[in-house]
Amino acid sequence: MPEPVLALSAHGIGKHFGALAALDGVDFTVKPGEAVGIVGPNGAGKTTLLSVLAGALSPSRGVVHFEGRDVTALSAALRCRRGLVRTHQIPKPFTGMTVFENAYVAAAHVEAATRDEAYDLAAAALDLSGMKDVANRQAGTLGLLGRKRLELARALATRPRLLLLDEIGGGLTDAEASELVATIGELQHRGIAIVWIEHIVHVLVQVVVRLVCMDAGRVIADGVPQAVLADPAVVEAYLGGAPE
Amino acid sequence: MMKDAKSFNVTRWTPTSRLILGLIAVLLIALAIAPVVASAGVIDRLTVLFVYILLAAMWNALAGFGGLVSIGQHMFFGLGAYLTIRLANTGLDPFASMALAAALVGMISLAVSYLMLHLKGGEFAIAMWVLAALTHRLVNLDPLIQGETGTSLISLNVYEIGVRRIAIYWAGLTAMTALLAALFLLLRSKTGAAIQAIRDSEEAAASIGVNVLGTKRVLFVLAAVGIGLAGAIWLASAISFQPKTYFSVQWTAYMIFMVLVGGIGTFEGAILGAVLFFLIESWFGDAGVWYLIGLGATALFFSLFFPKGLWGAIERRLPHALLPIGYTLSDFSPQEPHSRTANHQRSR
């Protein structure tokens, strides 16, 4: 029996910046609709991996497949149009445009979307990410929290099938964090696969069914969250030797 | 579509902006028939104003909307004039030469864009200046131009002086109206939204599916065609062509002045800036060095106290843009079952 097509599979990904190997032979897969968390100490290569998967960086070696097709040579824009989209760890809002316009640009570039469909997509994305009250505000006037939400809203407006989230939960209060967990849960319910880099592990494990831990450009553990968090290598690298 | 399940309006035009559009139409008609009553001097000055507005709008489109700050746009101004001379020299009608020259400038800018648009920020700005200087030197090598000796658009002499003046005036009015309309429609389209997204973050724009290089290219070529036309019209009213007066960075400096004073990144601001520059030049242009000092001081004053230009200061007091290119969301309540309004109208 043939295996079901993976949403995403990356094999042997290496990325060098001069002499530094930011990624050193990473294998990474995501099943359709699956939610995967990525943890690891700063400098482990998490964001670099995300950038390679999204097409913002091209890998020094290795291949990336999205829904069974080789997308290694595709630009970030073309990957996005196929349903693979990311958010940015340091938010990059379109500061001179309103919140709604930020989401609308994303929605307007969905393949074959009419203007009305783009309006609907953008409005729904703002609603889902809790930004409808600031829809007409200039994005440049948003605080860090608003900017992070906008990253999510803009990515959602592209109608993704796989969402790559990079630390959108940092700095949230407990109430805000549970709101975010509910939002991500809703996305999963809609069948969107999620890869989520996050330092706040207790928030992450409420959503993901699989955890990947990276260190020094390699994957050092991959499995169910409890097992990964208990792994001695993970404890050593990520939790500094002291289990929580 | 479950349109009636949701409730929101996306407003683009407002009653005020429709009124403004009507007033602009009336103004354009008045300008079109102005030669019947206006003196030759007024007609000549208005032609100058049209060229200034065209230049300011095109530089603003590049820098204010697209984030492409170029200090070499005089390259296209010079090329528009030079190619008109070159084409007219083959026996082509001078007005047809102007139009064809603008099209050729567009093609040249398309070719140039493949090199230039990969550059970012300051590199792009300086590289455009270098390219303008290089183009100037190449034009110097043309035996028809003979270095800085220059030549004239002699073939315009087939038209009687009065007819010629009005024809150039109409060409200027038509070029300005057509290019500003094209720019306005472009900015209101989804490409226009993409242009502004690229200005604010290229990486984020690419990540949400925007073809960054292709979008920049559309804007770059449009601006080149507009500035090329401006150069051709300037040549027609000045008759004589000397490379250094056209391929002069002073033209780009004027564009920057008009846009900064008027209000960078607003459609109305560039037009206002051009009108201001035109008035300052009309009143103080004879004051020589003091005129230039005054221009510099004005630019300094505005960048210190009105960083968004005169229009930026005015626009803050207005509820909506007069000529809207954005999108305003209202009555947005998709989660409430008893929403105030069931209509899902999207005004355009």
Side-chain angles (χ1 to χ4, degrees):
Chain A
M1 225 176 80
E3 281 185 37
V5 173
L6 289 166
L8 182 88
S9 77
H11 286 293
I13 302 294
K15 179 67 190 176
H16 300 269
F17 297 107
L20 175 81
L23 295 174
D24 188 10
V26 171
D27 294 328
F28 183 73
T29 58
V30 183
K31 293 189 195 107
E34 191 182 25
V36 185
I38 304 182
V39 295
N42 290 326
K46 305 184 295 293
T47 295
T48 307
L49 176 63
L50 213 68
S51 299
V52 167
L53 298 180
L57 288 177
S58 47
S60 312
R61 60 194 160 83
V63 286
V64 180
H65 283 80
F66 179 60
E67 294 180 340
R69 288 186 180 168
D70 188 345
V71 295
T72 317
L74 287 191
S75 68
L78 289 176
R79 291 187 205 192
C80 171
R81 292 184 191 189
R82 292 195 175 183
L84 174 60
V85 69
R86 70 162 317 171
T87 68
H88 299 90
Q89 182 184 5
I90 298 162
K92 299 178 189 294
F94 304 134
T95 50
M97 307 169 83
T98 68
V99 167
F100 177 72
E101 286 164 358
N102 268 258
Y104 171 73
V105 191
H109 286 81
V110 169
E111 289 300 338
T114 66
R115 176 164 276 192
D116 278 357
E117 282 165 1
Y119 286 159
D120 287 342
L121 269 175
L126 292 192
D127 192 31
L128 203 55
S129 50
M131 299 217 74
K132 61 176 186 170
D133 294 334
V134 290
N136 295 317
R137 244 172 83 175
Q138 291 282 305
T141 68
L142 294 173
L144 181 61
L145 228 64
R147 287 173 184 229
K148 290 206 168 193
R149 280 189 187 169
L150 184 57
E151 281 287 329
L152 178 63
R154 213 166 49 186
L156 288 179
T158 65
R159 204 156 62 190
R161 282 195 300 283
L162 173 56
L163 193 54
L164 306 168
L165 302 173
D166 197 352
E167 291 190 28
I168 55 165
L172 296 185
T173 65
D174 284 352
E176 287 161 346
S178 30
E179 234 178 81
L180 184 61
V181 166
T183 303
I184 310 263
E186 168 64 22
L187 300 181
Q188 269 191 287
H189 182 67
R190 296 180 185 194
I192 300 173
I194 288 156
V195 174
W196 188 0
I197 297 176
E198 194 57 76
H199 278 301
I200 319 164
V201 178
H202 70 93
V203 172
L204 194 57
V205 294
Q206 292 177 47
V207 174
V208 301
V209 295
R210 213 181 102 211
L211 205 56
V212 169
C213 183
M214 291 181 69
D215 187 30
R218 291 167 179 274
V219 171
I220 58 167
D222 183 345
V224 290
Q226 288 74 12
V228 167
L229 289 173
D231 190 312
V234 174
V235 174
E236 172 69 24
Y238 183 59
L239 302 170
E244 264 185 289
Chain B
M1 293 298 299
M2 312 179 301
K3 286 190 174 176
D4 47 357
K6 296 190 216 86
S7 163
F8 64 85
N9 297 313
V10 176
T11 312
R12 309 209 65 195
W13 289 113
T14 63
T16 317
S17 56
R18 282 176 215 276
L19 180 69
I20 294 289
L21 209 60
L23 291 176
I24 290 172
V26 171
L27 179 66
L28 286 176
I29 291 166
L31 284 172
I33 56 177
V36 180
V37 286
S39 71
V42 169
I43 291 302
D44 282 345
R45 285 304 290 162
L46 281 176
T47 308
V48 168
L49 176 61
F50 300 155
V51 169
Y52 288 170
I53 291 176
L54 190 49
L55 291 176
M58 292 300 122
W59 198 83
N60 185 41
L62 267 187
F65 286 99
L68 293 167
V69 176
S70 161
I71 46 177
Q73 288 309 99
H74 51 287
M75 165 184 172
F76 301 116
F77 189 80
L79 274 177
Y82 166 68
L83 292 172
T84 302
I85 289 265
R86 255 284 157 215
L87 290 166
N89 194 53
T90 65
L92 192 65
D93 173 82
F95 289 99
S97 301
M98 289 160 67
L100 196 54
L104 284 174
V105 169
M107 283 183 228
I108 291 169
S109 73
L110 182 66
V112 160
S113 76
Y114 283 87
L115 290 171
M116 292 293 142
L117 293 182
H118 289 282
L119 301 174
K120 307 261 185 289
E123 290 174 354
F124 170 78
I126 300 293
M128 285 303 299
W129 195 357
V130 172
L131 202 61
L134 187 68
T135 313
H136 181 184
R137 295 298 160 228
L138 286 175
V139 167
N140 283 152
L141 295 178
D142 186 335
L144 177 70
I145 307 300
Q146 294 178 40
E148 282 302 335
T149 313
T151 182
S152 298
L153 192 60
I154 322 155
S155 58
L156 268 178
N157 286 334
V158 299
Y159 296 97
E160 184 262 322
I161 178 93
V163 174
R164 186 206 303 167
R165 170 173 289 116
I166 294 170
I168 295 168
Y169 170 88
W170 275 335
L173 180 62
T174 309
M176 176 193 75
T177 309
L179 265 292
L180 261 66
L183 176 62
F184 186 62
L185 291 175
L186 176 70
L187 290 175
R188 277 177 61 87
S189 72
K190 94 173 189 190
T191 306
I195 284 169
Q196 295 173 74
I198 291 168
R199 171 196 62 196
D200 293 342
S201 171
E202 273 195 40
E203 197 186 338
S207 81
I208 55 158
V210 171
N211 174 354
V212 170
L213 276 177
T215 306
K216 280 192 194 176
R217 189 161 288 134
V218 170
L219 187 65
F220 187 74
V221 171
L222 176 74
V225 169
I227 292 171
L229 260 179
I233 292 159
W234 196 264
L235 170 72
S237 40
I239 304 287
S240 73
F241 178 81
Q242 219 191 346
K244 70 180 178 193
T245 56
Y246 287 80
F247 287 99
S248 162
V249 74
Q250 138 198 320
W251 288 106
T252 300
Y254 287 165
M255 293 178 217
I256 297 173
F257 176 88
M258 294 187 280
V259 172
L260 287 188
V261 168
I264 190 163
T266 60
F267 191 81
E268 303 89 336
I271 301 170
L272 181 62
V275 173
L276 274 175
F277 176 66
F278 173 77
L279 292 176
I280 294 172
E281 192 204 37
S282 304
W283 292 330
F284 305 110
D286 298 334
V289 171
W290 283 107
Y291 160 67
L292 294 175
I293 292 171
L295 278 187
T298 311
L300 201 61
F301 174 80
F302 273 89
S303 42
L304 285 176
F305 300 106
F306 296 94
K308 289 181 175 176
L310 199 56
W311 188 255
I314 296 170
E315 201 175 37
R316 272 190 293 133
R317 292 172 175 77
L318 299 175
H320 291 288
L322 293 189
L323 292 171
I325 57 165
Y327 306 76
T328 307
L329 193 65
S330 58
D331 304 328
F332 184 26
S333 52
Q335 275 184 333
E336 296 163 27
H338 305 292
S339 50
R340 274 171 292 158
T341 157
N343 72 341
H344 192 63
Q345 138 215 349
R346 271 92 170 224
S347 53
R348 273 148 203 262

